[in-house]
Structures are given as C-alpha cells and as structure tokens.
Amino acid sequence: MQPFWAKDAKAVKRAINARAETLAEKPSFRSLLNSKRCLVPADGFFEWQVTGQGKVPYRILLKNEELFTFAGLWDEWADKGTGEVLHTFTIITTEANDVVRPIHDRMPVILSPEAEELWLDEHEPQEDLLALLRPYKGEEMKAYPVSPLVNSPLNNVLEILNSL
C-alpha cells in the first residue's frame, strides 16, 4: 500500500525532512508521530551557507565528536506501480541554534541520550514528544567549512571532512 498522502514514489523520496513545528498537523506525518518514531545515528551533518561567492559547505558536529541521534519518523509501503516494498524515513528539523544559525536557518533535531528513550516510548504523550523537538545546545556543538567535494555523492572520501 502506498501512503495515503503520496501520489507516487517520487513524492515520498522528496520528504527528506519534517518540520517539528507542523508535525502534528501534517497528514503526511501526524500518524507516524503516534506509532513510527525512530532514531537516526550520525556523527555530524552538512549545511551550506549562501555567500556572495556561492554556497560554502559546513560540517556540523558535537564538540566531543561523539555519535548522536536525530529524531526521525519511518514508514514502509508498497509502490503501486512496481509492488516493491519501500522502507522510508524522515529526519525532523527545528529552528537553528547559535552555531548553525549563521550557516542555515534550520537544523535536524538532535536528541540527548535521555530524550532518545522518551522518543521511542510508545506510551509517551504526544505533547511530551513534541517538547523534545527543539534545537540542541549550541555550546556543545561546533562547525567548520569543508571541501566542496561534499557536493557530489560520488565523492565518498575522507577528504570531504578536512577543514578548508
């Protein structure tokens, strides 16, 4: 079955991020919030700062460089055209904190270890879940410009992470 909100597989694949502020209102995410929450592990993420010379990629991570998790939602469904079962997820975003704001106006919701347990608790009230979806503490994060090699998924090399 295809999600009731999607016209085709392309529409689902475009839903990379879900805005925390409208999560409970959007038909595409409302039901997932109640039953299909997930954690997306990461060690950092990239955002692009728009400048007069073009877009500059930045790597954003925790100061201690440890792994963390994004708040996410998942779903699985069968593509009506092919019958293929697709497993999809989206990362929830919120307004940017002081570290990210000079680069971009939004950032993924990063959950503390305590918040991870609450996010996955099937008995947690929706208002308590929504309260978890806020910017991560800026004083615990850092950002630095990286190589424009990051602009292509074909460049899966460590040099991407080197500071400019």
Side-chain angles (χ1 to χ4, degrees), residues 51-151:
T51 71
Q53 293 74 41
K55 292 183 177 183
V56 177
Y58 278 78
R59 181 175 185 222
I60 303 162
L61 62 161
L62 298 182
K63 281 184 179 176
N64 63 16
E65 299 189 12
E66 291 186 3
L67 292 175
F68 56 85
T69 59
F70 298 130
L73 301 172
W74 67 275
D75 204 0
E76 77 178 2
W77 56 283
D79 185 303
K80 288 180 180 176
T82 66
E84 177 187 5
V85 175
L86 300 173
H87 303 276
T88 60
F89 74 95
T90 188
I91 294 172
I92 300 170
T93 66
T94 188
E95 62 188 75
N97 64 19
D98 291 339
V99 171
V100 179
R101 192 174 303 111
I103 302 164
H104 197 273
D105 64 337
R106 309 269 317 154
M107 67 179 286
V109 171
I110 297 173
L111 296 172
S112 68
E114 302 78 31
E116 290 174 358
E117 289 187 40
L118 294 172
W119 182 246
L120 295 177
D121 185 341
E122 63 187 44
H123 303 295
E124 198 66 29
Q126 188 178 81
E127 58 272 7
D128 292 349
L129 294 170
L130 293 172
L132 300 173
L133 307 178
R134 58 186 184 272
Y136 197 77
K137 295 176 261 179
E139 62 270 11
E140 293 184 15
M141 298 181 72
K142 63 183 179 178
Y144 63 90
V146 295
S147 168
L149 287 170
V150 74
N151 293 335

Side-chain angles (χ1 to χ4, degrees), residues 23 38 41 43 77 87 150 163:
L23 204 57
C38 66
D43 66 357
W77 56 283
H87 303 276
V150 74
S163 179

